């Protein structure tokens, strides 16, 4: 019990008197607890009231969102668009577009994207290219030879840190090569790479020996630096156990450039090297891993897999019974792979885009095309196995490079020689489609667009065919859409009013108070739920904030709107067919459809002013502006009274009242705890007195026996 921690009372429960002391004390405390139960019930009622206010605030928030939409001019300026020939020109319209008529009298040409197709097949006469296999494996299947380079293609992403250098972290003895094809991006922005001198803005200098990057611009901390680069060799460290039979390196390896270095079990430095032996039955280049003249494994240069034979296990330390781990070797592996590079430039609506691709020999033609298609170049590249040809098409139509081609091959010969795009030019029209703009005449003006779909004054046109036949596009008011918008508002308004009026008129059952703990014990769950529903009923009956809002909204709805350009016969909602229902006790609205549609047809501009007009005074403001102000003010009042889910109690009125009740409850419970202790002390004293009296009576009785 609270407040009784420091009071130690020996409780004697009726041994002498025969009375049920616990039950007596419990009943006495229950009698004293009646005021405490009333305080707890008061607290529960306040919590219910708080939750009901918050529920109302959520409804108002939803309604305010509707009002926010209705404050947009697009809500009223509904437009429809029609074309006299949809097969030639179609159109869509934005809500705020002006009423207008457009005549496209001639479409001279449609916008076309640049496209190329190789003139001849890319495969050799003996075998067709398999687009799923590694390029180095199938290189002889191409009609033209691939020019290979040797090194190691790498990619790294670095998140910069304040005050720390930006470096690729090269292994000892490794150098960056092929700097001209190295790419560096910082948060998507490309930098020109140099390998000497001081970088200017937009440049980055790379130290080929250390891999450190020095930018001409200040690079903020937490920036993402993405780098694609080539090193003269790859050096990697692997830990292997005596159970290891294979290790995996990159594919398309260069023969005679594989080195495996480690210390054997005796501490002796060992260096294994590769020796090319020929082509296996699957067409893969294979070789041996040797220690001098002794063969300890095999290597597949195409897949990069090294397989060790049993002799390799001799290098490991001997395994003993006391060994807690498998014997292992720390191995350093040096290798080179075959690769090539190529560059592409496209001219697009976003400007000139340059991309460089580093292609490993282990990649397939499908992988190469996927890289191109997923790049920022905006082109689509694919191979047709039936014709054995490759096509490349820019995704955007139109001319963006007035002085040349839209797609340019800037580096390497893979696209031009191996895939055969070198002779695909405007002069070779059979395999080249030149980019063109759409040219047309609209309302007497001859003009041009880079796309067949374009926007003008809120109208989006789509040209479909060249023609000399005039096509007219008409933009008109969509009165049905405006009617539906207004009807949607009235429905939302009525929904809100119905829920508020239900709360305001809900019956109050004074005999049903929140259940106490003792009362709950005597009721089933179903009975408890029914009781609680009755106790919650009427919690906001005749609430001043909500009833005040209903009055304010009714006034906002019915008061006239004073706007200079507003039709004098349309200055109130009732004038356009929006009135209260026949039930005079409700503020709900109903629509005279015929009257409202006639008003919309007569003057949609006045409809907009009636609902959405602005002004310095309430009389000048449209109905929506007024309602928005009233709802906003009421939401502030409700928040001041009941807070929200993020509020703490001392920030709103009911919360402060709840805190005060919690303090009263705590003090009352302390008093009851002390009272209970006092009762038990008194009964204990009584029991002791009775026991003493009984002892004395027994003592005296023995003298009369």
């Amino acid at each position: 019990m609270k407040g009784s921690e420091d009071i130690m009372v020996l409780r004697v429960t009726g041994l002498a008197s025969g009375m049920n002391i616990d039950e007596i004390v419990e009943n006495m405390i229950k009698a004293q607890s009646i005021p405490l139960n009333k305080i707890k019930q008061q607290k529960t009622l306040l919590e219910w009231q708080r939750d009901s206010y918050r529920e109302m605030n959520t409804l108002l928030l939803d309604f305010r969102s509707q009002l926010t939409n209705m404050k947009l001019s697009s809500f009223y300026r509904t437009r429809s668009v029609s074309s006299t020939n949809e097969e030639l020109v179609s159109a869509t319209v934005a809500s705020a577009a002006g009423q207008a008529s457009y005549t496209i009298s001639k479409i001279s040409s449609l916008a076309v994207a640049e496209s190329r197709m190789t003139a001849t097949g890319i495969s050799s006469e003996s075998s067709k290219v398999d687009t799923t296999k590694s390029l180095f494996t199938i290189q002889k299947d191409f009609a033209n030879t691939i020019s290979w380079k040797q090194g190691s293609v790498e990619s790294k992403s670095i998140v910069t840190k304040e005050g720390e250098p930006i470096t690729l972290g090269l292994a000892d003895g490794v150098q960056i090569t092929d700097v001209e094809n190295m790419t560096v991006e910082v948060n998507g922005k490309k930098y020109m790479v140099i390998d000497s001198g001081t970088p200017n803005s937009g440049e980055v200098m790379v130290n080929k020996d250390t891999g450190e990057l020095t930018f001409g611009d200040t690079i903020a901390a937490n920036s993402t630096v993405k780098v694609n680069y080539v090193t003269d060799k790859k050096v990697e460290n692997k830990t292997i156990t005596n159970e290891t039979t294979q290790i995996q390196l990159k594919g398309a390896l260069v023969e005679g450039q594989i080195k495996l270095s480690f210390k054997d079990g005796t501490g002796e430095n060992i260096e294994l090297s590769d020796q090319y032996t020929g082509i296996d039955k699957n067409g893969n280049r294979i070789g041996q891993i040797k220690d001098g003249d002794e063969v300890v494994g095999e290597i597949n240069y195409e897949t990069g897999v090294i397989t060790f034979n049993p002799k390799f296990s001799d290098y490991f330390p001997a395994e003993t019974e006391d060994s807690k781990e498998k014997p292992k070797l720390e191995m350093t592996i040096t290798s080179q792979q075959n690769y090539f590079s190529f560059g592409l430039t496209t001219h697009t609506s976003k400007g000139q885009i340059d991309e460089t691709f580093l292609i490993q020999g282990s990649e397939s033609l499908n992988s190469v095309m996927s890289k191109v298609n997923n790049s920022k170049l905006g082109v689509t590249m694919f191979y047709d196995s039936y014709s054995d040809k490759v096509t490349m098409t820019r995704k955007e139509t139109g001319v963006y490079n007035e002085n040349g081609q839209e797609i340019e091959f800037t580096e390497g010969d893979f696209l031009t020689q191996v895939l055969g795009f070198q002779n695909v030019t405007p002069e070779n029209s059979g395999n080249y489609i030149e980019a063109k703009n759409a040219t047309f005449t609209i309302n007497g003006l001859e003009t041009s667009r880079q796309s067949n779909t374009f926007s003008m004054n809120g109208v989006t046109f789509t040209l479909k065919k060249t023609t000399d036949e005039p096509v007219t596009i008409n933009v008109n008011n969509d009165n049905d859409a405006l009617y539906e918008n207004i009807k949607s508002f009235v429905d939302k308004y009525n929904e809100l009013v119905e829920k508020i009026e239900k709360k305001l008129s809900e019956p109050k059952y004074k005999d049903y108070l929140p259940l106490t703990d003792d009362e709950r014990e005597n009721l089933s769950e179903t009975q408890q739920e029914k009781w609680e529903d009755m106790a919650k009923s009427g919690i906001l009956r005749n609430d001043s904030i909500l009833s005040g809002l209903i009055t304010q909204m009714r006034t906002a709805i019915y008061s006239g709107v004073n706007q200079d350009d507003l039709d004098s016969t349309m200055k109130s909602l009732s004038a356009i067919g929006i009135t209260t229902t026949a039930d005079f006790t409700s503020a709900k609205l109903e629509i005279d459809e015929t009257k409202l549609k006639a008003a919309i047809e007569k003057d949609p501009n006045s409809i907009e002013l009636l609902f959405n007009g602005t002004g310095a005074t309430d009389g000048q403001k449209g109905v929506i502006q007024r309602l928005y102000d009233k709802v906003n003010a009421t939401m502030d009042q409700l928040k001041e009274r009941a807070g929200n889910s993020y509020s703490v109690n001392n920030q709103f009125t009911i919360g402060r009242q709840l805190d005060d009740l919690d303090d009263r409850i705590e003090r009352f419970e302390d008093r009851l705890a002390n009272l209970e202790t006092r009762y038990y002390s008194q009964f204990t004293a009584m029991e002791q007195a009775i026991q003493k009296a009984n002892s004395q009576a027994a003592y005296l009785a023995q003298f009369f026996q």
Side-chain angles (χ1 to χ4, degrees):
M1 283 292 184
K2 294 180 180 179
S4 62
E5 292 83 351
D6 299 326
I7 302 175
M8 298 297 294
V9 177
L10 179 62
R11 295 181 176 181
V12 181
T13 54
L15 292 176
S17 65
M19 300 169 63
N20 188 342
I21 303 302
D22 286 338
E23 183 178 350
I24 294 171
V25 172
E26 182 181 351
N27 289 332
M28 293 173 71
I29 292 298
K30 281 184 179 180
Q32 294 293 330
S33 297
I34 292 174
L36 175 61
N37 289 334
K38 291 185 178 299
I39 298 174
K40 288 183 176 180
Q41 288 174 325
Q42 187 180 354
K43 178 185 175 183
T44 300
L45 288 171
L46 278 175
E47 289 173 338
W48 288 349
Q49 189 179 60
R50 175 200 63 196
D51 294 342
S52 293
Y53 276 136
R54 290 181 179 180
E55 180 185 344
M56 292 294 102
N57 223 355
T58 300
L59 291 175
L60 292 177
L61 178 62
D62 186 36
F63 184 63
R64 190 179 68 177
S65 297
Q66 174 81 5
L67 296 176
T68 300
N69 291 333
M70 292 191 68
K71 291 172 72 175
L72 302 174
S73 59
S74 57
F75 187 92
Y76 308 93
R77 300 175 191 178
T78 52
R79 300 289 186 261
S80 63
V81 63
S82 62
S83 169
T84 57
N85 193 330
E86 290 279 346
E87 293 184 358
L88 299 177
V89 183
S90 63
T92 59
V93 63
S95 297
Q99 296 184 70
S101 179
Y102 303 90
T103 299
I104 297 178
S105 55
K106 182 178 182 180
I107 302 175
S108 303
S109 65
L110 293 177
V112 177
E114 181 177 295
S115 182
R116 303 160 184 253
M117 181 179 68
T118 54
T120 59
I122 65 173
S123 300
S124 64
E125 295 181 0
S126 59
S127 181
K128 183 167 284 190
V129 168
D130 186 338
T131 60
T132 64
K133 290 186 176 180
S134 72
L135 291 169
F136 199 87
T137 302
I138 64 166
Q139 57 181 312
K140 291 183 179 179
D141 295 340
F142 285 98
N144 295 301
T145 304
I146 300 175
S147 299
W148 296 101
K149 304 176 186 179
Q150 286 71 45
S152 180
V153 175
E154 306 289 344
S155 180
K156 194 162 190 177
S157 184
I158 305 166
V159 177
T160 61
K161 295 182 179 179
E162 190 72 43
E164 293 188 10
I166 304 172
T167 180
L168 299 173
L170 300 180
D172 291 341
V174 175
Q175 279 191 330
I176 291 175
T177 60
D178 208 355
V179 174
E180 59 270 21
N181 289 312
M182 181 176 178
T183 61
V184 178
E185 289 186 3
V186 180
N187 297 332
K189 175 186 175 182
K190 282 196 171 184
Y191 278 77
M192 179 179 290
V193 182
I194 60 175
D195 59 3
S196 62
T198 302
N200 298 316
S201 178
E203 293 181 339
V204 56
M205 197 275 285
V206 59
N207 186 316
K208 294 189 291 185
D209 296 320
T210 65
E212 184 171 347
L213 303 176
T214 304
F215 289 87
D217 299 322
T218 300
I219 305 301
N222 298 316
S223 297
T224 300
V225 181
K226 293 184 178 180
V227 188
N228 295 311
Y229 61 103
V230 179
T231 57
D232 60 340
K233 55 182 172 288
K234 185 172 184 64
V235 177
E236 50 190 321
N237 298 309
K238 290 182 181 290
T239 300
I240 61 175
T241 70
N242 61 353
E243 294 181 344
T244 302
T245 59
Q246 286 186 339
I247 58 175
Q248 176 71 60
L249 308 181
K250 286 183 176 180
L253 295 171
V254 180
E255 306 103 326
Q257 299 298 319
I258 315 300
K259 298 287 183 293
L260 288 72
S261 303
F262 55 90
K263 287 185 178 182
D264 67 5
T266 65
E268 182 181 352
N269 290 323
I270 303 295
E271 185 172 285
L272 309 179
S273 60
D274 70 301
Q275 182 179 354
Y276 175 73
T277 58
I279 305 294
D280 68 6
K281 62 181 181 180
N282 296 317
N284 295 319
R285 294 172 301 125
I286 59 172
Q288 296 175 334
I289 300 298
K290 303 177 72 174
D291 182 358
D293 294 329
E294 186 173 18
V295 177
V296 298
E298 294 183 348
I299 181 169
N300 185 321
Y301 294 105
E302 310 300 354
T303 63
V305 174
I306 294 177
T307 304
F308 297 110
N309 62 30
K311 292 181 181 180
F312 183 73
S313 62
D314 295 341
Y315 296 113
F316 289 89
E319 188 171 6
T320 65
E321 293 183 0
D322 296 333
S323 299
K324 294 182 179 180
E325 296 181 349
K326 293 290 184 183
K328 60 184 179 181
L329 297 176
E330 303 293 339
M331 182 178 292
T332 299
I333 306 169
T334 304
S335 62
Q336 282 188 340
Q337 67 174 160
N338 292 285
Y339 78 97
F340 63 84
S341 60
F342 64 87
L344 272 172
T345 294
T346 56
H347 299 270
T348 72
S349 58
K350 297 178 181 178
Q352 179 176 313
I353 297 176
D354 303 296
E355 290 280 0
T356 299
F357 299 91
L358 295 169
I359 307 300
Q360 302 175 64
S362 56
E363 296 183 70
S364 66
L365 181 58
N366 281 345
S367 174
V368 173
M369 293 188 294
S370 178
K371 282 185 174 182
V372 172
N373 293 341
N374 292 327
S375 70
K376 298 177 182 178
L377 290 166
V379 299
T380 299
M381 179 182 181
F382 72 89
Y383 168 74
D384 176 54
S385 59
Y386 179 80
S387 64
D388 192 35
K389 295 180 180 181
V390 181
T391 68
M392 186 180 296
T393 304
R394 198 184 62 183
K395 295 175 183 177
E396 288 185 307
T397 59
V399 177
Y400 291 93
N401 183 20
E402 297 289 347
N403 301 316
Q405 299 177 24
E406 303 298 312
I407 304 173
E408 298 176 321
F409 305 107
T410 56
E411 193 274 331
D413 60 6
F414 179 73
L415 296 178
T416 56
Q417 299 296 324
V418 180
L419 298 188
F421 281 113
Q422 75 275 23
N423 295 321
V424 183
T425 63
E427 292 73 27
N428 188 358
S429 58
N431 298 298
Y432 180 89
I433 298 175
E434 189 175 4
K436 290 183 180 180
N437 290 337
T439 55
F440 55 97
T441 302
I442 182 168
N443 287 4
L445 174 66
E446 186 174 348
T447 186
S448 176
R449 293 291 187 279
Q450 290 159 320
S451 172
N452 293 314
T453 298
F454 58 92
S455 295
M456 182 183 294
N457 298 333
V459 182
T460 300
F461 299 85
T462 299
L463 309 180
K464 298 180 177 180
K465 295 179 182 179
T466 57
T467 183
D468 290 329
E469 176 187 333
V471 179
T472 300
I473 305 295
N474 291 310
V475 180
N476 297 304
N477 287 324
D478 189 346
N479 293 337
D480 288 339
L482 178 53
Y483 172 81
E484 290 299 326
N485 285 348
I486 294 174
K487 184 177 181 297
S488 173
F489 156 71
V490 171
D491 290 342
K492 200 74 174 179
Y493 174 87
N494 285 342
E495 180 185 341
L496 175 69
V497 167
E498 181 179 3
K499 290 180 178 179
I500 294 177
E501 289 180 340
K502 182 179 178 181
K503 284 291 183 181
L504 290 172
S505 59
E506 206 170 41
K508 180 70 175 176
Y509 301 100
K510 295 182 179 180
D511 293 335
Y512 287 84
L513 295 173
L515 292 169
T516 64
D517 293 337
D518 292 334
E519 290 170 338
R520 285 184 181 278
E521 292 179 0
N522 299 321
L523 297 176
S524 67
E525 288 189 8
T526 302
Q527 289 173 324
Q528 289 179 34
E529 290 176 5
K530 290 182 177 180
W531 184 286
E532 192 167 281
D533 288 340
M534 297 291 281
K536 284 183 176 181
S537 179
I539 199 76
L540 296 180
R541 181 178 176 83
N542 297 327
D543 180 78
S544 59
I545 296 178
L546 296 179
S547 60
L549 174 62
I550 291 294
T551 300
Q552 292 168 9
M553 289 200 300
R554 185 183 286 114
T555 301
I557 289 288
Y558 286 110
S559 298
V561 176
N562 299 314
Q563 288 275 338
D564 292 339
D565 296 328
L566 179 59
D567 188 316
S568 60
T569 63
M570 301 170 62
K571 287 186 175 293
S572 67
L573 290 187
S574 60
I576 64 170
I578 302 176
T579 58
T580 54
T581 61
D583 181 2
F584 69 91
T585 63
S586 174
K588 293 172 69 174
L589 301 173
E590 62 183 8
I591 296 175
D592 182 330
E593 182 177 343
T594 302
K595 192 172 182 179
L596 177 56
K597 286 187 173 181
I600 293 173
E601 183 72 29
K602 176 185 177 183
D603 192 350
N605 291 331
S606 287
I607 295 291
E608 180 176 354
L609 288 172
L610 176 61
F611 279 94
N612 201 32
T614 58
T617 66
D618 211 47
Q620 294 172 319
K621 292 179 180 179
V623 172
I624 298 303
Q625 300 286 345
R626 294 171 182 171
L627 286 175
Y628 188 91
D629 293 343
K630 309 307 180 190
V631 169
N632 233 12
T634 301
M635 290 178 66
D636 288 341
Q637 285 182 283
L638 291 177
K639 185 177 179 181
E640 174 61 30
R641 177 75 63 88
N644 56 34
S645 58
Y646 302 103
S647 302
V648 295
N649 280 354
N650 63 6
Q651 293 176 324
F652 57 96
T653 303
I654 292 179
R656 290 188 288 271
Q657 292 173 335
L658 289 172
D659 283 344
D660 180 62
L661 290 177
D662 282 336
D663 290 340
R664 291 174 59 190
I665 289 171
E666 185 175 359
R667 291 194 299 270
F668 208 110
E669 287 177 339
D670 287 343
R671 189 170 73 83
L672 289 177
N674 292 330
L675 187 60
E676 183 184 50
T677 300
R678 182 161 63 85
Y679 285 158
Y680 271 111
S681 297
Q682 291 172 339
F683 278 111
T684 297
M686 180 192 75
E687 289 288 333
Q688 291 171 341
I690 292 174
Q691 187 175 11
K692 185 176 181 180
N694 289 339
S695 297
Q696 289 175 341
Y699 175 75
L700 293 174
Q702 69 182 341
F703 292 106
F704 298 99
Q705 291 179 353

